[in-house]
Amino acid sequence: GAGVSQTPSNKVTEKGKYVELRCDPISGHTALYWYRQSLGQGPEFLIYFQGTGAADDSGLPNDRFFAVRPEGSVSTLKIQRTERGDSAVYLCASSRNGQGDTEAFFGQGTRLTVV
Amino acid sequence: GENVEQHPSTLSVQEGDSAVIKCTYSDSASNYFPWYKQELGKRPQLIIDIRSNVGEKKDQRIAVTLNKTAKHFSLHITETQPEDSAVYFCAASGARGSYIPTFGRGTSLIVHP
């Protein structure tokens, strides 16, 4: 595709359930980032992949959050035992390289609501 | 790690006025400073960026300035139009070992017709 694609666009889940959020980056982009955005806030870093490996997962809030990128392209963010505080828009971004000096292209985000 | 502060949180101007949004960063090794515009319910999109080897960059009504010594950079929008209304985010990245863009909290710009 032409841009970063995220699915689903909206997800409503019950507290305690497991969810998976998918990100399909721009073809050829080696760097992939997950961010979380709460209302009125800037994107908050969660995890960064360079290729297949998680180069930096220091932003993951706790061990309920996990992400994979097995083939260096599509990534899945996984949240176990969801809590109401996990409700936010989850944004994925990709960039051509992982040097932090090129544009990061964002997806539309997945709005997660935990009820 | 990098810390980015952004001010003001809200900015209200009349159409045709100028708007200025300011950001400071903490890591002197950061060398890439993008600005993103996010309209309601949409993805953040890059509008302009600047690298640390440049002090100013302009693109039509938008300009960005960078003061490396003071570690701050600013977005300037001239002749504002209602369609400029959105949330603007600054970011900093590129420092050695810190390739992850760190974002400010955002500025909600409202341009009144």
Side-chain angles (χ1 to χ4, degrees), chain A residues 3-5 33 35 37 40-45 48 56 58 91 98-109 111, chain B residues 31-32 34 36 38 41-46 49 51 87 89 92-95 97-106:
Chain A
V4 178
S5 175
Y33 310 88
Y35 288 86
Q37 187 175 29
Q41 302 294 319
E44 173 192 1
F45 167 71
Y48 155 56
D56 189 326
S58 63
L91 291 167
Q99 301 303 308
D101 61 356
T102 58
E103 178 180 358
F105 294 83
F106 281 87
Q108 289 272 37
R111 181 176 298 278
Chain B
N31 60 10
Y32 179 63
Y36 286 82
Q38 187 176 29
K42 298 192 176 181
R43 72 188 75 196
Q45 292 194 296
L46 183 77
D49 56 14
R51 290 177 172 76
V87 179
F89 295 99
S93 65
S98 180
Y99 301 133
I100 299 153
T102 299
F103 286 82
R105 295 182 63 170

Side-chain angles (χ1 to χ4, degrees), chain B residues 15 23 32 34-35 46 53-54 65 68 73 77 92 99 102 108 111:
Chain B
E15 182 176 2
C23 289
Y32 179 63
W35 286 88
L46 183 77
N53 58 346
V54 175
T65 58
K68 287 176 58 180
F73 55 114
I77 306 175
Y99 301 133
T102 299
S108 177
V111 181

Side-chain angles (χ1 to χ4, degrees), chain B residues 2-3 5 23-30 33 66-73:
Chain B
E2 177 66 276
N3 182 50
E5 299 286 339
C23 289
T24 60
Y25 61 99
S26 61
D27 193 332
S28 58
S30 288
F33 307 92
L66 172 65
N67 183 326
K68 287 176 58 180
T69 302
K71 291 188 286 188
H72 68 68
F73 55 114

Side-chain angles (χ1 to χ4, degrees), chain A residues 21-77:
Chain A
L21 312 180
R22 175 189 168 108
C23 173
D24 200 339
I26 293 173
S27 178
H29 280 194
T30 61
L32 185 147
Y33 310 88
W34 282 99
Y35 288 86
R36 179 166 68 177
Q37 187 175 29
S38 300
L39 192 64
Q41 302 294 319
E44 173 192 1
F45 167 71
L46 295 176
I47 187 169
Y48 155 56
F49 288 90
Q50 179 59 35
T52 60
D56 189 326
D57 64 357
S58 63
L60 296 177
N62 52 60
D63 60 7
R64 295 186 297 106
F65 289 75
F66 188 70
V68 296
R69 194 186 185 198
E71 298 178 356
S73 178
V74 171
S75 176
T76 304
L77 178 65

